Amino acid sequence: MTQRADGRSLDQLRPVTIERGWSAQAEGSALISFGGTKVLCTASFTNGVPRWLTGKGKGWVTAEYAMLPRATNERSARESIKGKVGGRTHEISRLIGRALRAVVDTKSLGENTIVVDCDVLQADGGTRTASITGAYVALADAIEWGREKGFVAKKATPLSDSIAAISVGIIDGTPMLDLPYEEDSRAETDMNIVMTGSGKFVEVQGTAEGAPFDKDELDALLALGSKGCADLTGLQKQALAGER
């Protein structure tokens, strides 16, 4: 049997923690850890929408992703200092926003805007999947804050479902769940899976980095991703059921 670097089973998540309400200032927040990967997700609630949505009776949810200079082994320059945001950052920001909007009824949200910032404090693989998973918790709390303040109708249900994401991959011919950097950097196939709490797929990003993969391997990866997202959904529910 293939032995993983950290001794986990092939279908086992790294230790996951969700510290809900980590930021005292934000309307919703969560510090999420997938093993050595740590992401601070903060949701900011604003009454009102962008000009292009004004008067349409709909709200807006979007996200921004960034990696702190020492999130990795070597310091990287801040993109704000460079004067432009990199393609990877744009792509991940858009992915997080799409994932969140997949479970948001913008009419029920009303003409309100929620921006979720996902800042990677420490990176060890799976930063985008941790961001999506933590962002949902922050978003849920921001919506409840808006309800308490009267910006969201008391009986409205802006969230149709929950959303979570996890990485899977094939290393040395073996499908595995939740890859740290050590595994991700040498994966023959790398895939990110985004799913709702009810078990529906929102997005699947998969690439053969080395050898192409066949349908049986794809099915194995999707099964692993489904299990991982279901486990994360349970942890999200536990976090949201606790005290802020």
Side-chain angles (χ1 to χ4, degrees):
M1 183 176 177
T2 302
Q3 185 70 30
R4 302 187 72 171
D6 55 11
R8 281 182 294 142
S9 61
L10 302 179
D11 64 350
Q12 185 179 1
L13 294 171
R14 288 177 285 176
V16 177
T17 60
I18 303 174
E19 297 179 53
R20 179 180 170 220
W22 193 88
S23 172
Q25 286 79 20
E27 285 73 51
S29 68
L31 177 64
I32 188 164
S33 301
F34 279 21
T37 289
K38 299 181 184 297
V39 184
L40 175 59
C41 305
T42 53
S44 301
F45 189 107
T46 303
N47 180 221
V49 290
R51 186 178 303 174
W52 53 275
L53 271 176
T54 301
K56 295 185 178 180
K58 296 180 180 181
W60 181 242
V61 173
T62 189
E64 294 186 14
Y65 167 97
M67 190 174 290
L68 296 190
R70 277 313 303 265
T72 56
N73 290 334
E74 295 181 359
R75 186 183 187 277
S76 58
R78 295 181 190 273
E79 291 182 326
S80 59
I81 300 299
K82 293 179 182 178
K84 66 175 182 178
V85 176
R88 178 180 181 274
T89 298
H90 266 307
E91 183 240 325
I92 296 176
S93 295
R94 292 172 66 184
L95 169 64
I96 299 167
R98 287 195 305 272
L100 296 176
R101 289 192 295 273
V103 296
V104 173
D105 179 348
T106 54
K107 286 187 177 180
S108 292
L109 182 60
E111 291 201 10
N112 299 295
T113 300
I114 300 176
V115 179
V116 184
D117 289 288
C118 299
D119 292 296
V120 180
L121 310 182
Q122 185 170 287
D124 185 24
T127 61
R128 72 186 68 195
T129 55
S131 294
I132 291 168
T133 305
Y136 169 76
V137 174
L139 173 67
D141 273 341
I143 289 173
E144 289 311 306
W145 181 93
R147 196 190 307 276
E148 292 168 5
K149 297 297 181 182
F151 297 127
V152 177
K154 290 291 184 184
K155 294 184 179 180
T157 53
L159 288 174
S160 60
D161 208 334
S162 60
I163 197 83
I166 197 65
S167 66
V168 292
I170 299 175
I171 297 97
D172 299 330
T174 303
M176 300 180 183
L177 177 70
D178 191 14
L179 311 184
Y181 178 76
E182 181 179 355
E183 292 175 346
D184 182 65
S185 61
R186 61 188 186 88
E188 293 120 53
T189 298
D190 183 27
M191 188 174 291
N192 297 299
I193 296 174
V194 186
M195 298 184 71
T196 65
S198 58
K200 294 182 179 179
F201 292 96
V202 171
E203 192 148 346
V204 177
Q205 300 179 332
T207 305
E209 304 284 355
F213 54 93
D214 60 28
K215 185 177 182 301
D216 288 343
E217 289 172 321
L218 174 60
D219 289 344
L221 291 174
L222 292 176
L224 282 173
S226 296
K227 179 188 181 300
C229 285
D231 290 344
L232 291 171
T233 297
L235 293 170
Q236 288 172 324
K237 288 179 179 178
Q238 288 178 22
L240 288 167
E243 293 292 330
R244 289 186 63 179

